[in-house]
Amino acid sequence: MLEVLLSQIVSGLVLGGLYVLIAIGLSIIFGLLGIVNFAHGAFFTLGAYLALTLYQYLGWPAVIAAPLFVGAIGMIVERLLIRRLYDKEPLISLIVTFALALLIEASVRLIYGGIGQPFSPPPLLSGFIIWGPVLITKYRFAVLLTSGAVLIALWLFLEHTRFGRILRAGSRDPEMVGLLGINLPRVLTWVFGLGCAIAGIAGVLAAPLWTITPSMATNAIMPAFVVVAVGGLGSFAGAVIAGLLVGVVIALTIQFYPEASGAVMYVFMALMLLLRPRGLLGERWERFE
C-alpha cells in the first residue's frame, strides 16, 4: 500500500506540474490583459499537434520549436483579434475567446482528423525508474524535472529582468506603465505570446502522456481555471502550490475512488474557496474589485 501511495503521489506531482504550466500562462494573460482566455486550452492542443508534426518530419530535436510556433500564433491572434477586446465588456471577451477555441479545434479536426493519435516518448526516456518504494517511468520523471525548470526560469525572468518588472507593474497599473513611455500595446502582444508559449510547452510535455485529440483542450483548460482559483489571482507561488495539490488529489482519487476523479477537483476548489475566498496566496487587486 505504501508503494502504491507514494507512486501515485509522484504521478500526481507530474500531472500537477502540467496543470501549473497551463495555469501560469492563463494567469499571466488575465493579470495584464484582463482577458479571461477560454481559448488557452486550444493553444495547449496546438502545442501537442505541432510537436507531433515536427517529430514526424524532422525528428525529436525539432519538437523543442513547437512552443515557439504556438507563441508566435498567439502574438498574431492578439494583434488581429484580442487587442480589440481590451475596452469591451468582460462578457464580450468570454464569448470571443470561446468562439476562438471552437475555431481552433475545428481547424485541427480539419487538418489532422478527429481520431486520437498516439505519440511515443523518446527512446532515451523509455523504461522505469525505481527509487525505493517509488516506481515511475523515465518520461514522467523527465516531465517533472522539465516543468520545474520552466517554472524556475519563468520566475527568474519575471523577478530579475527589466521586461519581467514591466509585466508585474503593468498587471497592477497598466495606465502608469503607458505614462512612463513604455509601448504598452507591444508589451501586451508579447505577454499574450508568452502565455500561449507556456501552454504550448505543457502541450508538448503532455503529448506522450495523453492521446492527442482535438478535444484534449477540455482536459487542460478546466483544471487550469481551478488552479488559478485555488492558488489566488496574481500569485505565482499560489498557482504552483495549487497545481501540485490538485494533481495529487486527482491521482489519489483515480487510485482509490476512480468514479469521483472527474469531480474531485471541483469539490476541492469549493472547499478551499469557502475557507479562503481569495485563494491560498491571493492578493487584493483594486483593478478587478
Side-chain angles (χ1 to χ4, degrees):
M1 179 61 70
L2 178 61
E3 294 180 358
V4 172
L5 183 63
L6 291 177
S7 296
Q8 284 300 110
I9 289 175
V10 174
S11 296
L13 292 176
V14 174
L15 180 62
L18 294 175
Y19 288 162
V20 171
L21 290 179
I22 304 168
I24 287 292
L26 183 67
S27 183
I28 289 174
I29 292 173
F30 180 56
L32 187 57
L33 280 64
I35 298 292
V36 180
N37 183 21
F38 265 100
H40 199 67
F43 290 100
F44 167 86
T45 303
L46 282 179
Y49 272 102
L50 287 174
L52 177 63
T53 301
L54 290 171
Y55 165 71
Q56 291 174 339
Y57 287 97
L58 300 174
W60 269 106
V63 169
I64 196 172
L68 300 178
F69 284 115
V70 175
I73 293 172
M75 294 174 69
I76 295 172
V77 168
E78 193 279 339
R79 291 290 299 272
L80 297 179
L81 180 63
I82 303 299
R83 181 170 295 186
R84 306 172 187 271
L85 305 177
Y86 295 147
D87 57 348
K88 300 295 190 300
E89 292 292 329
L91 182 60
I92 300 297
S93 66
L94 292 177
I95 295 173
V96 171
T97 56
F98 181 70
L100 176 61
L102 296 179
L103 175 63
I104 293 176
E105 180 177 336
S107 300
V108 169
R109 289 183 183 276
L110 180 64
I111 296 172
Y112 294 96
I115 301 176
Q117 303 191 42
F119 189 26
S120 301
L124 181 65
L125 297 178
S126 61
F128 294 86
I129 294 176
I130 301 176
W131 185 31
V134 177
L135 176 67
I136 184 174
T137 65
K138 290 182 180 180
Y139 183 75
R140 287 181 179 271
F141 186 68
V143 169
L144 185 60
L145 292 181
T146 304
S147 300
V150 170
L151 291 173
I152 292 172
L154 182 61
W155 178 79
L156 292 173
F157 170 76
L158 293 175
E159 292 290 330
H160 299 288
T161 66
R162 179 176 178 272
F163 191 75
R165 289 191 289 270
I166 292 173
L167 295 189
R168 289 187 287 116
S171 65
R172 302 304 180 87
D173 195 341
E175 291 80 10
M176 182 59 68
V177 171
L179 291 175
L180 292 175
I182 296 170
N183 189 334
L184 189 59
R186 182 179 299 175
V187 171
L188 298 181
T189 300
W190 280 99
V191 167
F192 196 85
L194 175 63
C196 293
I198 297 172
I201 293 174
V204 171
L205 294 176
L209 297 177
W210 305 351
T211 301
I212 303 177
T213 64
S215 60
M216 66 186 297
T218 306
N219 297 326
I221 191 63
M222 295 312 298
F225 279 116
V226 170
V227 169
V228 171
V230 172
L233 177 63
S235 175
F236 188 98
V240 173
I241 296 171
L244 296 179
L245 284 175
V246 170
V248 170
V249 168
I250 291 176
L252 292 177
T253 305
I254 290 174
Q255 177 64 36
F256 297 106
Y257 191 22
E259 294 83 0
S261 59
V264 66
M265 66 177 176
Y266 302 109
V267 175
F268 179 69
M269 177 182 67
L271 292 175
M272 291 299 301
L273 294 182
L274 283 174
L275 298 174
R276 289 187 60 85
R278 291 180 185 168
L280 291 174
L281 300 176
E283 306 173 8
R284 180 180 179 180
W285 288 20
E286 290 82 0
R287 184 182 171 196
F288 299 113
E289 297 186 1

